Each structure stands twice: as C-alpha cells, then as structure tokens.
Amino acid sequence: VNLGNTCFMNSALQCLSHATPLTRYFLTNQFERDVNKSNPLGTGGKLADAYDKMIQTVWASSSNNKSKGQKQKQPRSISPRALKRAIALFAPRFANTSQQDAQEFLAFLLDGLHEDLNRVLNPPYIEKADVDDEDATCDLAVAVAGAEAWEAHIQRNESIVMDTFYGQFKSTCVC
C-alpha cells in the first residue's frame, strides 16, 4: 500500500525484504537476542520491532498464498504504516507524505537497524589515525591504515546489518 507519496519507501522495503540473511534473521526471531535497548545511537529497539512486524506480515502473506494443490491466490497488499511511524519518530523528514530519496531512506533504515541490533554494548573509545600525504602514495601504508581502520570499526560495531551490508573499499582520485 502506498501511504501517500511513499513509493521510495516501498521500493526500498521490497528490495531489503529479499536480502536473505537479514530476512531470515527476523523471520526466525534471532533478532530478539540482539536488541540493544541501551544504545544511545539506536531507537531502543522500536525500529527493529517495527521492521520485524512488517517482515513477518510480508512473508506470512507470501507463504499463505502458496497453498499446496490449490490455485495460487492473488497476493494481498500490506501497509507498512507502523514502520513508517517508527522511522518518523527518529527521522522527522520521513513523517509526511513528501517524496524522498530511496537511497537516503534505506541508509537511515539500515543504520537504525544496525544501532538497534549492535551487539557491542560498551564500545571502546578509539582515536582515528590519519594517513600522511607521504604515506598515501605507498600501497603498503594505505593497506595497513585500512586494516587498522576496519579493526577499530569492528570493535565498536557488530550486527547482522554490518555482517550483511558493510564493507570497506579504497578509492583514488586523480586530477
């Protein structure tokens, strides 16, 4: 169901619902053991709970339509209204029915789910190291800096979202 001008949200949710590791994690209720209600960067688990309800509804609807030996029923539509409300509480720009960018919506949703499901309860303080201009031309120095940055990142971040969607890449700009 399109709740106003929310096709950006519907397309993002349809894509995300087909990310098998994340969907399986919610459908099997594994997410419940990881909800981090004390994370000040999260939503206290509200976003994860709303996403779970939406995923459960989507996939229950889908499996109910595949009865053995019967003619396949027409798929029914679902309304992600509760998920939209949960998101709007923490990102008011998604509260109304204005058109938004699907990538921005998806980035917020994944970040919110990550923070709600972050298994690191007491993240350590870590200073970020810089690569000097001289070192930036040395492939080994850049590789070491990249490995150190990733190690620092995973000391503070561990979730199904990170396991499934995060990564690190190196880019170079040549003028």
Side-chain angles (χ1 to χ4, degrees):
V1 171
N2 200 350
L3 306 171
N5 196 10
T6 58
C7 54
F8 69 94
M9 181 177 75
N10 292 336
S11 61
L13 292 175
Q14 287 177 39
C15 290
L16 197 55
S17 78
H18 285 84
T20 303
L22 183 65
T23 296
R24 186 178 300 129
Y25 176 78
F26 277 93
L27 289 176
T28 59
N29 298 316
Q30 293 176 50
F31 84 99
E32 291 173 346
R33 71 173 186 253
D34 291 335
V35 172
N36 184 344
K37 294 187 180 204
S38 64
N39 185 348
L41 301 175
T43 68
K46 292 180 180 90
L47 186 56
D49 287 338
Y51 185 78
D52 173 57
K53 286 177 182 53
M54 190 272 308
I55 283 294
Q56 297 289 344
T57 302
V58 165
W59 288 99
S61 168
S62 175
S63 64
N64 288 342
N65 287 328
K66 295 178 182 171
S67 301
K68 235 182 190 177
Q70 295 179 358
K71 201 174 190 183
Q72 188 166 345
K73 298 177 187 174
Q74 198 67 328
R76 68 180 182 89
S77 62
I78 65 137
S79 172
R81 189 170 277 120
L83 179 61
K84 185 177 185 313
R85 271 196 303 272
I87 291 168
L89 286 173
F90 303 98
R93 68 183 172 274
F94 298 116
N96 58 28
T97 57
S98 298
Q99 181 64 34
Q100 299 288 336
D101 184 78
Q103 189 277 330
E104 287 177 16
F105 172 80
L106 187 58
F108 173 80
L109 178 58
L110 287 173
D111 188 51
L113 287 173
H114 163 68
E115 295 299 349
D116 272 4
L117 301 169
N118 193 351
R119 294 182 288 263
V120 178
L121 302 179
N122 297 305
Y125 174 78
I126 298 171
E127 286 192 37
K128 292 185 179 182
D130 267 342
V131 177
D132 296 336
D133 287 341
E134 302 174 358
D135 291 341
T137 59
C138 175
D139 287 341
L140 180 60
V142 172
V144 168
E148 288 172 352
W150 186 252
E151 182 59 35
H153 181 75
I154 62 174
Q155 287 181 37
R156 298 182 53 85
N157 298 282
E158 183 187 348
S159 73
I160 183 72
V161 175
M162 201 179 124
D163 297 344
T164 306
F165 300 105
Y166 279 47
Q168 183 183 42
F169 67 93
K170 174 191 167 203
S171 64
T172 304
C173 180
V174 178
C175 296

